[in-house]
Amino acid sequence: MRKPDEGRNRVVIQNVKPELDCGRFPIKRIAGEMVVVEADVFCDGHDSVRAQLLWKREDAKAWETTAMRPLGNDRWQAEFLVDEIGRYLYTVAGEVDHFGTWRADLKKRLAARQELSIELQNGALLLDAAAMAAKGPDTVILRKKAEELRHGGQEAANIALADELAEIIERYSGLAPVTTYDRELAVTVDRERAGFSAWYELFPRSWSRVPGKHGTLRDVTERLEYVAEMGFDVLYLPPIHPVGRSFRKGKNNSVQAQPDDVGSPWAIGAKEGGHTAILPELGTFEDFARLVERARALEMEIALDIAFQCSPDHPWVKEHPEFFKHRADGSIQYAENPPKKYQDIYPLDFESSNWTGLWTELKGVFSFWIDKGVRIFRVDNPHTKAFPFWEWAITELKAEHPDVLFLAEAFTRPRVMERLAKLGFSQSYTYFAWRNTKEELTQYMKELTQTELREYFRPNFWPNTPDILTETLQHGGLAAFRSRLVLAATLAANYGIYGAAFELGEHRPAAPGSEEYLNSEKYEIKVWELDAPWSLKPLITRLNRARRENAALHNNESIHFHTVDNSNIICYSKYAMAPGEDENLLLAVVNLDYFNTQSGFVNLDLDVLSLGPDEEFVLEDLLADREYFWCGARNYVELRPQEFSAHLFRIRKRISTV
Amino acid sequence: MRKPDEGRNRVVIQNVKPELDCGRFPIKRIAGEMVVVEADVFCDGHDSVRAQLLWKREDAKAWETTAMRPLGNDRWQAEFLVDEIGRYLYTVAGEVDHFGTWRADLKKRLAARQELSIELQNGALLLDAAAMAAKGPDTVILRKKAEELRHGGQEAANIALADELAEIIERYSGLAPVTTYDRELAVTVDRERAGFSAWYELFPRSWSRVPGKHGTLRDVTERLEYVAEMGFDVLYLPPIHPVGRSFRKGKNNSVQAQPDDVGSPWAIGAKEGGHTAILPELGTFEDFARLVERARALEMEIALDIAFQCSPDHPWVKEHPEFFKHRADGSIQYAENPPKKYQDIYPLDFESSNWTGLWTELKGVFSFWIDKGVRIFRVDNPHTKAFPFWEWAITELKAEHPDVLFLAEAFTRPRVMERLAKLGFSQSYTYFAWRNTKEELTQYMKELTQTELREYFRPNFWPNTPDILTETLQHGGLAAFRSRLVLAATLAANYGIYGAAFELGEHRPAAPGSEEYLNSEKYEIKVWELDAPWSLKPLITRLNRARRENAALHNNESIHFHTVDNSNIICYSKYAMAPGEDENLLLAVVNLDYFNTQSGFVNLDLDVLSLGPDEEFVLEDLLADREYFWCGARNYVELRPQEFSAHLFRIRKRISTV
């Protein structure tokens, strides 16, 4: 081992947090948030050290610096604000604080009434060195003070110990050799909607007002207020491209389609075009532009589904046969999960000899729709495409359009879902649909908010999707829909529903034990009775309003679970975390039994709520026009599933009148 | 972001364990141990993957490979043996297993009675590709089997699914693009004594048989059997160099030495020489050589204390004034902890302009003593020397002499002690001396054995040192000495005592509240009554014999704490971990109350002991000639501090006679 170039770097910097995979991946934040950075910073011996957080926008030339605070045990902390979308970098630097060490020692010597003249001269040498590094008037001041120290005596000691002098010295680093942390770490900063959003998924094919007629983008545009009134901010459309004819699936996923069957929107591509075309039955690019515009007027955004797979009729099959895997007989390999065959779908081959051409083409699909005004993409099955592609494509697209967001539709193994989030997906589907009990929900939320996942994995909770009609919803009645809705919308800052199936309580499975819907919209045109009296629209509207008006629901990390002496009732609080926001404190109580009234005592962790042991407070139920008065930790709740399945309380503290 | 050179590497490798600081530091093992490596290895989609552990001696050209086993959830594991001292490297590689995927699918197709002819041709293509990569007869076999697959039919399917074919394919990697983990990780492999050792520290100055006469190395050589009989294997000597005269400390650390005071051995250097000289009163290099030889004959080793600091009379002060810090008046800065002054000590300045010369000189001190036959160094206050020096010096010295071991004497902040261990120290002093209660001891052992510390920090437990006479030993009587001895020798595989103070129960502090010894040997010649009737020599002898004979005590990691319904009694088991060793299972029960009899029920975790719920077993007390018969989990213990403070049981299972 050779000696280092500079062996006098005595300071160690290690264990910087947050840091993902040794700096391989950026963490994620929302514009306006703080990034709190911690590190171990220390040196040999007993000298003091100084630690600095360095940070900048990725494209900035110079680092900004912030002095770090010691937390004890050689741990230091500081934070910086990421106020613009894009990418930031941060790292940590440290140096031995010779002046600080000398100053602290001087105090002890003074207290012990030691002779100080040589010590003060030692200090003057430190000031001389600092003067060399200083700028402007500081240089003059430091030189002058060095002279004063050399005069010695009590007066010199006072000058040496004055805060003014320490503050000047603090402005200059590099007075001792500076150690900089080995790595520069990155932050991807997204706009607010990446961290707080309410999604509504609908199939335009079913939004005609005339039963049996193929719905159009115009129909959606005309009836968009229905969605806006409920307070959603993202309208997500399944693929709107031409649907393949070869091996088209019939109603209820039957292998033999009837001539008038509309097929699955995920069997993408026909003679009319592929991923950059619109199914003629849905309308034109003009219609699409009008929909985008109308959504914007209603404070919503359109999210498009990008499903990278092809029907046998997709133009790429002829233009780029090398994008697909070929069987020994020369035919193209269709999708399979042996023994099941999906002959209406050709997967793309990421081991293609022309992988680079494939990547460019796929990225081009996103660019095409970005040009059409789309800024949010829901990516279908990203886990069946090569990881390196996603990292490249998302990094490139976000460099060009830092406001673009990607939702990963991956319900697969944990490591795979984590990887996709690390590679750049802005939001991720989760296992929420299958987390039902209090223990399961608590455990899962802790995993999402108290582990490293919180730095890069933004969960989006869906109680249902066109592919997932859970057993709970099949059997729990409308009470289950209500509870699952409240859970999704209040546990996670990002959530969504597949409507109108959800608000209308659609619960019939294709077969016993199946999570597929009976007569699924994926394969046919449906008629939704949007004004049905049992519709959950009023509850959804209240919930989305509560979400918008309460900053506590804009984050996941503040969640805290409070104990209830009844395993059917779950109780949790959230508070506002963003700097500068008013105190906003919410408490949710949800009945997980969809058939029976459940009651019990909540035992609040008062510390988390900043409440005193005997403090009275007001709870305003945001889901019902009622107020409650509670006192202290232990309070009674009773939830009747047929009337209300949940409370969503805003806690108001009473102003002391003493 | 540019596209990667090869975008078809679909496999991800992450979270490799063990790995310290992103591979910045080597882990540590003992020759003959296994290194168990785990990693997440997975790819997109549903294809199978293969994972391989790559490992080699650092200087070997080619990697050895070991197939990894899947543990579930995309985690893989394999291990390799480090059978020689020195350095090894390891990393992980993975690739998509196209043949394995195809084979698993083929089974499902067969079960579903699908037509297979094209599938078998697809398989033949995979075999063709494998044949290109194969060597020797495998090439021919693979070509032949490919032809047979092309014939189709049940016979071809049988050939395709035969284990023989899978085993041939398994021999070849690189059939798909191979992903290799970003980093190569290192292992420092030490000899057994690094992981299992019993140290005895003595001051040669006190080992003369004539009271008041300065002891010599010859005296130590002559009386070495006393130490060997107790079963120690490391004899550690405080510095044996000439002691400075300037500002020499008198008895009990007094500032004014008397003419006949011998001073502190840590005030190193006089006109007779510095770190490469021997104090004339102790003898000559010949005497030293004879001591080294005699120790070897008694299966012991000499460990020397290396204290990098100088008395004002050290030759370096004149030869290398630049090795020291100078005050404003030109004088050399003595050691201080303001307001305390240590004018007999000059610290070395690691910010010296000639730091590189200083490093070379210091490393030379180790090399000098290595030439004299020393292979173990106890380093005094390593935490007051620059970290980069230790990494360089230890790495260099171990590259030249891989059998050399270093014990870090650092009782300082946790991050500093951890850093020294990471930089290369083979063993480390610990906080054991100040961990007294059951909770403290349990917590500390878990920290040492169940966190990342286990990979690089080898604890050495000392109940006392010349600087540390704990309050427990001051006030607990011989019972405290006995319990603390048993704890040190059985909790940690490396332990040591400062004798003869320890075995003779020396417990008088220099002052109330001080941890210094009264009339400390550090400043004067003492007379030890080695054959005092209260000497703990018999207990020490039994303990060290039990340690040697029981492999369970050669490791720390197998420790498990069992509950006892009395907070004054601690109970823990250890078992042998090295491969190929016979089952060896020990159970320690120690009374932490040094004044009162304590009794209670132990509640054994039978799973850890591989005992059945109603199984009878025999406990042989290795500290007393007694056997006990226990049954199941709950068993009674009673410990009377004035008779015996601890059991150290070897558990023997009764052979079933049914």
Side-chain angles (χ1 to χ4, degrees), chain A residues 237-392:
Chain A
L237 306 178
I240 57 173
H241 317 301
V243 175
R245 279 253 147 223
S246 307
F247 298 97
R248 176 179 283 194
K249 293 292 171 66
K251 292 190 178 67
N252 283 305
N253 200 20
S254 63
V255 179
Q256 212 47 46
Q258 300 304 311
D260 59 342
D261 276 342
V262 287
S264 161
W266 285 274
I268 295 170
K271 64 176 189 303
E272 296 87 355
H275 285 77
T276 52
I278 296 176
L279 176 73
E281 286 86 339
L282 286 175
T284 64
F285 279 101
E286 264 192 350
D287 297 336
F288 184 77
R290 227 170 278 138
L291 173 59
V292 168
E293 195 179 317
R294 177 68 183 143
R296 197 172 296 139
L298 293 169
E299 294 186 350
M300 290 198 291
E301 280 186 62
I302 302 298
L304 273 201
D305 194 335
I306 300 295
F308 282 138
Q309 56 192 21
C310 298
S311 100
D313 311 320
H314 195 291
W316 286 345
V317 175
K318 282 198 181 122
E319 291 165 16
H320 288 292
E322 82 280 7
F323 284 179
F324 305 91
K325 200 175 258 178
H326 293 256
R327 308 175 77 205
D329 65 350
S331 65
I332 292 182
Q333 178 68 60
Y334 46 80
E336 282 188 287
N337 182 13
K340 287 191 202 160
K341 302 177 179 186
Y342 306 95
Q343 288 167 295
D344 58 332
I345 300 290
Y346 286 173
L348 293 160
D349 178 17
F350 284 81
E351 292 183 359
S352 165
S353 57
N354 185 21
W355 62 269
T356 170
L358 175 65
W359 285 23
T360 302
E361 191 77 27
L362 297 184
K363 185 195 149 205
V365 171
F366 288 108
S367 299
F368 178 89
W369 291 105
I370 289 171
D371 280 350
K372 302 287 178 224
V374 179
R375 285 294 180 279
I376 306 185
F377 296 97
R378 180 268 194 192
V379 177
D380 190 74
N381 279 337
H383 60 289
T384 60
K385 285 83 196 171
F387 297 116
F389 163 70
W390 290 123
E391 182 169 38
W392 171 78

Side-chain angles (χ1 to χ4, degrees), chain B residues 224-448:
Chain B
L224 201 53
E225 248 169 73
Y226 171 81
V227 182
E229 278 166 8
M230 284 189 280
F232 289 101
D233 42 35
V234 180
L235 177 75
Y236 148 43
L237 307 178
I240 58 173
H241 316 300
V243 175
R245 280 250 148 228
S246 307
F247 298 98
R248 177 179 282 194
K249 293 293 170 69
K251 293 190 179 66
N252 284 305
N253 201 20
S254 63
V255 178
Q256 213 46 45
Q258 300 305 309
D260 58 344
D261 276 341
V262 287
S264 162
W266 284 274
I268 295 170
K271 65 176 189 300
E272 296 86 357
H275 286 76
T276 53
I278 296 177
L279 177 73
E281 286 85 340
L282 286 175
T284 65
F285 279 101
E286 263 190 354
D287 298 336
F288 183 76
R290 226 170 279 138
L291 173 60
V292 168
E293 197 180 315
R294 177 69 182 143
R296 198 174 292 140
L298 293 169
E299 295 186 347
M300 290 197 293
E301 282 185 60
I302 302 299
L304 274 201
D305 195 335
I306 301 294
F308 283 138
Q309 56 191 20
C310 299
S311 98
D313 310 321
H314 195 290
W316 287 344
V317 175
K318 282 199 182 120
E319 291 166 15
H320 289 290
E322 80 281 8
F323 285 178
F324 305 91
K325 199 174 258 177
H326 293 257
R327 307 175 78 206
D329 65 350
S331 65
I332 292 182
Q333 177 68 59
Y334 46 82
E336 284 187 285
N337 182 14
K340 287 191 201 160
K341 301 177 179 187
Y342 306 96
Q343 286 167 297
D344 57 332
I345 300 290
Y346 287 172
L348 293 160
D349 179 17
F350 284 82
E351 292 183 358
S352 164
S353 58
N354 186 20
W355 62 270
T356 171
L358 175 65
W359 285 22
T360 302
E361 191 78 27
L362 298 183
K363 185 197 150 205
V365 172
F366 288 108
S367 300
F368 178 90
W369 291 105
I370 289 171
D371 279 350
K372 303 286 178 224
V374 178
R375 286 295 180 278
I376 307 185
F377 297 97
R378 179 269 196 193
V379 177
D380 190 75
N381 280 337
H383 60 289
T384 59
K385 285 83 196 171
F387 297 115
F389 163 71
W390 290 121
E391 182 169 39
W392 170 79
I394 295 177
T395 306
E396 282 287 282
L397 290 162
K398 285 186 78 86
E400 294 159 17
H401 308 280
D403 58 340
V404 173
L405 304 178
F406 301 86
L407 165 62
E409 188 252 11
F411 301 97
T412 178
R413 289 124 55 209
R415 297 301 90 74
V416 175
M417 290 173 64
E418 290 160 14
R419 187 75 180 189
L420 290 166
K422 285 181 182 171
L423 292 170
F425 280 91
S426 323
Q427 298 185 358
S428 306
Y429 279 53
T430 68
Y431 303 134
F432 166 72
W434 304 281
R435 297 293 178 272
N436 287 296
T437 66
K438 177 153 74 171
E439 166 134 21
E440 285 168 358
L441 289 163
T442 306
Q443 173 59 32
Y444 193 47
M445 283 308 296
K446 287 187 179 171
E447 191 183 319
L448 292 171

Side-chain angles (χ1 to χ4, degrees), chain B residues 6-78:
Chain B
E6 175 52 86
R8 289 171 295 186
N9 274 340
R10 292 170 49 206
V11 171
V12 169
I13 300 173
Q14 65 179 20
N15 197 14
V16 175
K17 292 271 159 73
E19 174 180 297
L20 300 177
D21 293 60
C22 302
R24 167 78 177 77
F25 299 106
I27 61 163
K28 297 197 181 100
R29 288 294 183 274
I30 301 297
E33 287 184 342
M34 303 299 286
V35 179
V36 181
V37 179
E38 287 190 11
D40 298 335
V41 185
F42 57 90
C43 74
D44 63 274
H46 307 288
D47 288 344
S48 306
V49 299
R50 291 164 59 184
Q52 285 199 307
L53 172 64
L54 310 184
W55 56 275
K56 62 170 190 164
R57 277 194 61 91
E58 187 174 48
D59 48 10
K61 276 185 189 146
W63 291 101
E64 308 279 337
T65 60
T66 305
M68 299 183 83
R69 299 176 297 277
L71 299 178
N73 233 347
D74 296 315
R75 195 87 182 140
W76 296 72
Q77 187 187 63

Side-chain angles (χ1 to χ4, degrees), chain A residues 62-225:
Chain A
W63 292 101
E64 308 280 336
T65 61
T66 305
M68 299 182 83
R69 298 176 296 276
L71 300 177
N73 233 347
D74 296 316
R75 195 88 182 138
W76 295 72
Q77 186 187 63
E79 55 277 313
F80 65 102
L81 175 73
V82 287
D83 52 0
E84 293 169 38
I85 63 173
R87 275 169 70 104
Y88 285 72
L89 298 177
Y90 61 98
T91 192
V92 172
E95 61 183 281
V96 175
D97 183 6
H98 285 300
F99 178 77
T101 307
W102 174 83
R103 185 172 181 250
D105 284 352
L106 189 70
K107 278 187 198 169
K108 295 178 198 158
R109 295 180 207 277
L110 258 175
R113 296 169 180 278
Q114 288 183 354
E115 213 290 306
L116 295 180
S117 62
I118 297 177
E119 274 314 314
L120 288 166
Q121 288 177 46
N122 285 347
L125 290 173
L126 293 173
L127 297 194
D128 287 345
M132 305 270 283
K135 284 171 196 152
D138 286 348
T139 315
V140 182
I141 297 171
L142 287 168
R143 289 230 172 86
K144 184 160 165 282
K145 290 196 185 283
E147 273 323 295
E148 289 166 344
L149 259 56
R150 286 195 171 90
H151 293 150
Q154 184 61 44
E155 178 59 19
N158 293 345
I159 290 166
L161 294 176
D163 288 341
E164 185 208 347
L165 181 54
E167 281 158 19
I168 296 174
I169 300 268
E170 193 135 295
R171 286 202 273 273
Y172 302 98
S173 68
L175 302 182
V178 176
T179 301
T180 305
Y181 186 56
D182 299 340
R183 293 179 281 281
E184 293 178 4
L185 307 171
V187 194
T188 298
V189 182
D190 287 313
R191 60 199 172 97
E192 194 196 1
R193 198 142 289 168
F196 176 65
S197 60
W199 294 52
Y200 188 86
E201 175 176 6
L202 65 80
F203 283 71
R205 57 168 55 166
S206 301
W207 284 64
S208 154
R209 290 177 189 266
V210 183
K213 190 171 166 239
H214 199 293
T216 64
L217 298 176
R218 279 178 185 240
D219 292 328
V220 175
T221 306
E222 278 167 29
R223 300 172 78 183
L224 201 53
E225 249 169 74

Side-chain angles (χ1 to χ4, degrees), chain A residues 514-568:
Chain A
S514 164
E515 287 193 337
E516 289 289 330
Y517 281 90
L518 180 68
N519 306 326
S520 168
E521 233 172 341
K522 290 195 289 187
Y523 312 106
E524 62 187 270
I525 297 168
K526 287 187 80 81
V527 179
W528 295 111
E529 200 183 336
L530 296 183
D531 48 5
W534 62 84
S535 169
L536 299 178
K537 190 182 176 203
L539 175 61
I540 294 169
T541 306
R542 268 187 182 265
L543 258 176
N544 282 334
R545 191 193 312 137
R547 283 170 47 90
R548 289 194 182 202
E549 291 175 356
N550 290 278
L553 296 176
H554 300 194
N555 73 75
N556 300 316
E557 290 71 21
S558 72
I559 198 162
H560 182 86
F561 290 89
H562 302 264
T563 54
V564 186
D565 60 2
N566 179 334
S567 64
N568 291 295

